[in-house]
Amino acid sequence: MRTTRSTTRKSPVTALLAALATLLGIVVLGTLSPTTAHAQSADDLATGLHISDGRLLEGNGNDFIMRGVNHAHTWYPGETQSLADIKALGANTVRVVLSDGHRWSENSPADVAAIVAQCKANRLICVLEVHDTTGYGEDAAAGTLDHAADYWIGLQGVLAGEESYVVINIGNEPWGNTNPEGWTAPTIAAVQKLRNAGFEHTIMVDAPNWGQDWQGVMRANAQSVYDADPTGNLIFSIHMYSVYNTAQKVTDYLHAFVDAGLPILIGEFGGPADQYGDPDEDTMMATAEQLRLGYLAWSWSGNTDPILDLAIDFDPSRLSSWGQRIFNGVNGVAQTSREATVYAGGNPGDTHAPSAAGTPTASAVAVTSVTLTWTAATDDVGVTGYDIVRVSGGSETTVAASATNTATVSGLDAETAYTFAVYARDAAGNRSARSATVSVTTDKGGSTPGVGCSVGYRVVGEWPDGFQGEITIRNTGATTINGWTLAFAFANGQTVTNMWGGSPTQNGASVSVAPASYTSTIPASGSVTVGFTAAKGATSAAPTAFTLSGTNCAMA
């Protein structure tokens, strides 16, 4: 949920949030019945992406599961490299923010045509959405779904024939928290307006309540909205932020649609905690994978609230901890994404598994992390990613995923022996045999001979109950530092809510930070920077001491 020229979340008002647990946990939000069948002929399938039996399929009948992110194109039209960067990290879909001119500068037909061409050039499915509708009924600046529908009709010459590559998301979060029951009729009218104009694309509709449907209006009326589309090519989009802060809320909502045979995906979601709650992104991603539903994380970069940036300053080499979670974590993009077969990369007839990857080698072994590298696997079509597993006796646990032949595994215990191996995957989902294993023992901590360091700590921005901080770690020694653990303590009960450049573990006042893959190495006389947001009380004194892998650091 965003504000003007901003990609900051907007949550329901405090009084409404106070009742969330009761509303979502006790009140019956609506019963979904089995989907009314829509007849589909071979000609229907030939139009491209379409819905059948509650699933999003490609024109050839292949199941397509969106795995990707949102990109704020309308506010950052110059960041055209972003689509290639998003694809390089393994995504198969990008949801592109556009404006119909009601609130922001209208994206012209030529601009939209260029975006579609870039999506196709980068082998991405393109979800196009109008953002001006956000929070209608509560935000006076928001536009209507009818206005958005007129905008899409004005783009018909650009979008016709792109049904295999483009999904039309009529309007983003098209109703706020004021009288959300008003969402249903305009949604049906907008869908039918596009169908009457001749659109055959799969249409996506967002929920009210700023996309989170915490009052259950979309859930209760989904069947009637779906039945109003004569083609049946309609998919529902739920946005999951702090409303969905428990596993039960996440699973109950998604299962309600799947059990009714109604198509749904998570069109936006966030993971970092805010003052309204802590979204359960692990359950969102795990449930999406279990139910084979799409998800699109918010958002690539440029957020007013930087905790939601997946990439810092649009730089794919500087993924935040949120970005690392989405792209390289368990059930993340690298591990689960499959390219659309329309690009010939995911041939459903491909049953040939990749060769096994080479034996991993370990480097940058630290107290809580290790970097693994292996010889790339080969495949007759192409290797799309790797799953890294921890092996213990006869069992194994997936601990990371990567689109390349290297990965950093973090969150390990000090002075502990681990065994790791790697699987390769191709675009059709075939998995290789497991590689040979490598055994690693993490450092025990304590002082590291020859390490010299200094630490600079500063507050970048502050608000009544929180702040954004920055920690710069400088290597003042004569040799490169490969892997590190930074430790410090807060004096006034501050709590880290999100971090980029490192992975925090907090126990009371004490904070321990393991490096991200791109900050794990600090050359002699070089430095790395870790940023974070934190909650605070009335006072927020700076930490007075820092250690790096057990060595006391000077204060810079």
Side-chain angles (χ1 to χ4, degrees):
M1 291 151 276
R2 266 77 29 213
T3 57
T4 304
R5 184 78 180 164
S6 162
T7 46
T8 302
R9 283 179 290 177
K10 179 178 179 182
S11 291
V13 295
T14 304
L16 296 177
L17 275 172
L20 269 181
T22 301
L23 285 166
L24 285 177
I26 299 173
V27 176
V28 177
L29 297 179
T31 302
L32 301 176
S33 59
T35 306
T36 300
H38 289 263
Q40 290 181 311
S41 66
D43 289 338
D44 292 327
L45 297 183
T47 61
L49 290 162
H50 63 281
I51 302 298
S52 179
D53 294 327
R55 305 291 306 166
L56 178 63
L57 307 181
E58 294 190 68
N60 62 3
N62 190 61
D63 208 31
F64 183 67
I65 304 170
M66 293 186 187
R67 289 286 183 269
V69 304
N70 288 262
H71 171 52
H73 170 71
T74 200
W75 302 308
Y76 300 98
E79 297 294 343
T80 54
Q81 175 63 29
S82 293
L83 297 188
D85 295 336
I86 290 166
K87 175 63 177 182
L89 288 164
N92 64 20
T93 305
V94 62
R95 181 172 179 257
V96 180
V97 177
L98 301 177
S99 172
D100 64 6
H102 177 84
R103 185 169 186 176
W104 295 285
S105 297
E106 179 179 334
N107 293 97
S108 67
D111 184 36
V112 175
I115 281 290
V116 173
Q118 289 172 41
C119 283
K120 292 167 72 174
N122 288 291
R123 304 163 74 91
L124 291 163
I125 295 301
C126 202
V127 177
L128 302 176
E129 61 102 341
V130 163
H131 216 76
D132 308 66
T133 56
T134 305
Y136 180 80
E138 183 175 349
D139 190 332
T144 65
L145 282 170
D146 186 64
H147 189 273
D150 287 339
Y151 173 71
W152 293 118
I153 291 171
L155 293 172
Q156 195 161 14
V158 168
L159 300 178
E162 302 294 351
E163 291 85 355
S164 292
Y165 307 94
V166 172
V167 172
I168 297 174
N169 190 178
I170 303 179
N172 182 70
E173 301 176 1
W175 212 277
N177 293 319
T178 304
N179 300 320
E181 62 276 2
W183 167 90
T184 305
T187 299
I188 289 174
V191 171
Q192 293 181 336
K193 191 170 192 175
L194 293 184
R195 295 305 185 207
N196 290 337
F199 280 87
E200 297 182 338
H201 303 70
T202 294
I203 290 176
M204 184 182 295
V205 295
D206 284 7
N209 295 129
W210 300 89
Q212 297 198 77
D213 199 30
W214 62 270
Q215 288 176 289
V217 171
M218 185 171 82
R219 179 171 168 175
N221 293 279
Q223 189 70 63
S224 62
V225 174
Y226 184 82
D227 291 343
D229 181 357
T231 72
N233 291 332
L234 186 78
I235 188 168
F236 296 93
S237 173
I238 183 66
H239 294 183
M240 289 186 163
Y241 292 101
S242 52
V243 165
Y244 295 91
N245 58 357
T246 69
Q248 183 173 355
K249 292 175 185 177
V250 173
T251 57
D252 283 355
Y253 196 92
L254 296 177
H255 275 279
F257 280 77
V258 172
D259 292 348
L262 288 166
I264 191 167
L265 82 157
I266 307 174
E268 285 185 23
F269 68 106
D274 63 13
Q275 65 267 40
Y276 301 104
D278 186 1
D280 188 354
E281 70 276 14
D282 290 341
T283 298
M284 297 175 202
M285 296 167 73
T287 305
E289 181 64 10
Q290 176 194 4
L291 298 177
R292 297 175 60 76
L293 304 178
Y295 67 65
L296 303 171
W298 188 275
S299 79
W300 178 241
S301 198
N303 287 283
T304 301
D305 182 351
I307 66 171
L308 286 170
D309 281 355
L310 296 160
I312 299 168
D313 294 330
F314 295 92
D315 185 348
S317 69
R318 300 171 61 205
L319 294 182
S320 66
S321 57
W322 174 225
Q324 290 286 1
R325 175 69 189 94
I326 289 299
F327 287 106
N328 300 321
V330 175
N331 296 313
V333 167
Q335 187 180 94
T336 65
S337 176
R338 304 291 182 267
E339 186 177 89
T341 62
V342 71
Y343 296 117
N347 180 3
D350 176 13
T351 59
H352 180 79
S355 66
T359 304
T361 59
S363 62
V365 180
V367 178
T368 60
S369 64
V370 60
T371 297
L372 302 175
T373 305
W374 55 89
T375 301
T378 59
D379 185 67
D380 59 337
V381 176
V383 174
T384 58
Y386 298 89
D387 301 329
I388 299 88
V389 297
R390 183 175 72 239
V391 181
S392 178
S395 65
E396 58 184 43
T397 303
T398 302
V399 292
S402 177
T404 65
N405 63 326
T406 186
T408 296
V409 181
S410 57
L412 307 178
D413 295 327
E415 202 173 3
T416 302
Y418 292 92
T419 300
F420 299 104
V422 174
Y423 290 94
R425 290 180 281 101
D426 67 14
N430 299 305
R431 202 182 198 200
S432 72
R434 196 175 77 186
S435 72
T437 60
V438 62
S439 295
V440 180
T441 300
T442 51
D443 288 349
K444 66 179 180 179
S447 180
T448 304
V451 170
C453 54
S454 66
V455 172
Y457 177 96
R458 73 186 185 101
V459 173
V460 177
E462 196 164 2
W463 48 95
D465 55 358
F467 67 100
Q468 180 181 337
E470 186 175 271
I471 302 171
T472 300
I473 308 166
R474 180 169 296 278
N475 179 2
T476 60
T479 60
T480 298
I481 296 173
N482 290 307
W484 48 265
T485 299
L486 181 73
F488 62 93
F490 283 121
N492 307 118
Q494 300 97 318
T495 304
V496 176
T497 55
N498 187 55
M499 181 171 284
W500 48 99
S503 299
T505 301
Q506 185 163 356
N507 184 10
S510 299
V511 181
S512 176
V513 180
S517 58
Y518 56 89
T519 59
S520 62
T521 299
I522 313 177
S525 301
S527 65
V528 297
T529 298
V530 174
F532 66 94
T533 56
K536 69 176 181 68
T539 57
S540 183
T544 57
F546 293 85
T547 63
L548 192 70
S549 300
T551 296
N552 293 323
C553 297
M555 296 296 293

